[in-house]
Amino acid sequence: MTDIKYRPRRSCLYMPASNKRALEKAKTLPADTIIFDLEDAVAPEAKEEARENACAALQSGDYGNRELVVRVNAMDTPWFAQDLRQACLSQADAVLVPKILNADDIIQITDFMEDHDASLDTQLWAMIEMPQAILKLTEIAALGPQRRLTTFVMGFNDLAKEMRAEHDRAIFGTVMTQTVIAARAYGLNVIDSVYNDFNDPNGLVAECIEAKKLGFDGKSLIHPAQIETANRVFAPSTDEIAEAEAIIAAFGDSINAGKGVIVVDGKMTELLHLRQAKQLVATARAIKTLAD
Ligand code: COA
Ligand code: MG
């Protein structure tokens, strides 16, 4: 069973692994996670080269403490097996598999990974972007604790296409909530979809705020200009940290010893809020450690 330790995933930046300039630039970008894409952003004739570039990047040791993920091609493509094999052998932190349909897909993939990475070092991340996957969210998420599935990543470009819907964020509200609930029920991480209009900073801020409110850990990104916003919005704010510290201090005060409910700053505060406050402070600490 894969142990899901918390680490910041506020900003998960995709880049086509065929783009050497982007691969180079990523070594200095403050993204928590880098996703080397072999799929949608890479033309068929560049697939082999992109795979080689991604593996070389994984083995280079040049990306500091950024989490390194490879998005492989889908299971029904001629590139899938080799992508998955090479990513595991190159010790990617995770492999992100697109077009997941159901729990059987997860079983097949993790059986295959077992043959190439028996140490379980490489996690499996699943794109949630197919209507079939939305209908099977619970059974997919439930495999997480037994298999190495740790993270869901929403893919609204594909989902809109499959639904024949307009790409309007408003239509995805229900799916976002369902996905967060399924993920959290089984202890998975969950990352929001991309914002295509990378020249519109206000639109990005609005999407990040919405996703944070819904419980997402972070946002997948397509351009370096989007990193700072995601890092800021998904990090606990100064006010949130102060409030959490006040709750921890109040429960630590001897006059509140043994109490399950107290009043902090005029609000009812229970032990569940204390646990939440400790988690928030730990998150802030993990972000600080990553930056140091
Ligand atoms: N990761 C790392 N570096 C990136 C980057 C990314 N996703 N996107 C752009 N850059 C780099 C460029 O290489 C360029 O670097 P330079 O300063 O060394 O020249 C710099 O940032 C500025 O790029 P810019 O000119 O503004 O963008 P562009 O027009 O070259 O590219 C996109 C725009 C959308 C094509 C590009 O950002 C991209 O490929 N994004 C990722 C797409 C993807 O992976 N999609 C799959 C998931 S949906
Ligand atoms: Mg896609």
Side-chain angles (χ1 to χ4, degrees):
M1 177 175 145
T2 307
D3 180 22
I4 307 180
K5 293 200 185 71
Y6 176 77
R7 62 156 292 145
R9 294 189 180 86
R10 300 163 297 170
S11 48
C12 303
L13 178 67
Y14 284 105
M15 69 200 54
S18 49
N19 181 343
K20 286 201 161 155
R21 260 187 108 94
L23 292 177
E24 194 54 37
K25 195 167 181 92
K27 295 174 184 170
T28 60
L29 294 171
D32 291 342
T33 303
I34 303 286
I35 306 177
F36 301 117
D37 189 24
L38 308 182
E39 198 219 6
D40 283 340
V42 177
E45 53 276 16
K47 295 285 188 192
E48 315 280 336
E49 189 198 338
R51 185 194 299 134
E52 281 168 26
N53 291 346
C55 292
L58 289 168
Q59 288 164 344
S60 69
D62 289 344
Y63 291 83
N65 52 10
R66 293 167 190 81
E67 182 175 45
L68 302 181
V69 178
V70 178
R71 183 167 76 170
V72 299
N73 287 284
M75 293 174 78
D76 62 355
T77 68
W79 305 289
F80 170 73
Q82 197 60 350
D83 287 354
L84 189 56
R85 197 176 103 81
Q86 294 297 338
C88 287
L89 292 174
S90 305
Q91 294 185 306
D93 291 313
V95 172
L96 172 59
V97 182
K99 316 285 191 301
I100 292 292
L101 300 179
N102 50 44
D104 278 350
D105 284 355
I106 302 292
I107 291 167
Q108 266 190 55
I109 295 164
T110 49
D111 281 349
F112 184 95
M113 289 173 81
E114 194 75 15
D115 295 339
H116 303 288
D117 172 38
S119 63
L120 294 180
D121 285 341
T122 300
Q123 305 161 38
L124 172 61
W125 292 17
M127 295 284 315
I128 301 300
E129 58 182 351
M130 297 298 280
Q132 294 92 326
I134 306 293
L135 296 174
K136 302 282 184 192
L137 273 173
T138 311
E139 66 171 59
I140 296 172
L143 285 176
Q146 306 145 35
R147 300 271 165 165
R148 58 179 83 199
L149 173 66
T150 64
T151 305
F152 282 163
V153 182
M154 307 241 62
F156 290 146
N157 284 322
D158 270 288
L159 187 57
K161 171 173 77 63
E162 295 295 320
M163 289 169 63
R164 298 189 210 150
E166 286 180 24
H167 195 141
D168 175 347
R169 179 86 159 173
I171 65 168
F172 296 123
T174 309
V175 165
M176 290 171 80
T177 306
Q178 281 176 314
T179 306
V180 173
I181 288 173
R184 298 306 187 207
Y186 295 97
L188 304 190
N189 311 300
V190 58
I191 310 295
D192 187 19
S193 188
V194 296
Y195 185 60
N196 295 338
D197 189 354
F198 60 86
N199 289 312
D200 170 17
N202 295 335
L204 177 69
V205 170
E207 287 206 357
C208 288
I209 291 173
E210 180 193 28
K212 187 192 177 197
K213 280 187 181 166
L214 282 171
F216 284 87
D217 294 296
K219 190 159 179 69
S220 41
L221 308 175
I222 51 163
H223 193 277
Q226 299 181 315
I227 299 171
E228 192 275 327
T229 297
N231 281 352
R232 178 169 43 78
V233 174
F234 286 98
S237 68
T238 317
D239 285 352
E240 285 171 323
I241 296 169
E243 194 183 332
E245 283 172 343
I247 291 171
I248 294 166
F251 271 106
D253 191 327
S254 57
I255 59 164
N256 290 325
K259 290 188 184 166
V261 59
I262 60 176
V263 177
V264 181
D265 199 19
K267 283 179 272 186
M268 178 189 80
T269 308
E270 299 176 319
L271 286 172
L272 74 94
H273 298 114
L274 175 62
R275 280 194 291 277
Q276 230 175 351
K278 285 182 175 168
Q279 194 177 345
L280 188 136
V281 169
T283 300
R285 210 170 285 142
I287 290 168
K288 192 169 177 309
T289 306
L290 199 67
D292 288 345

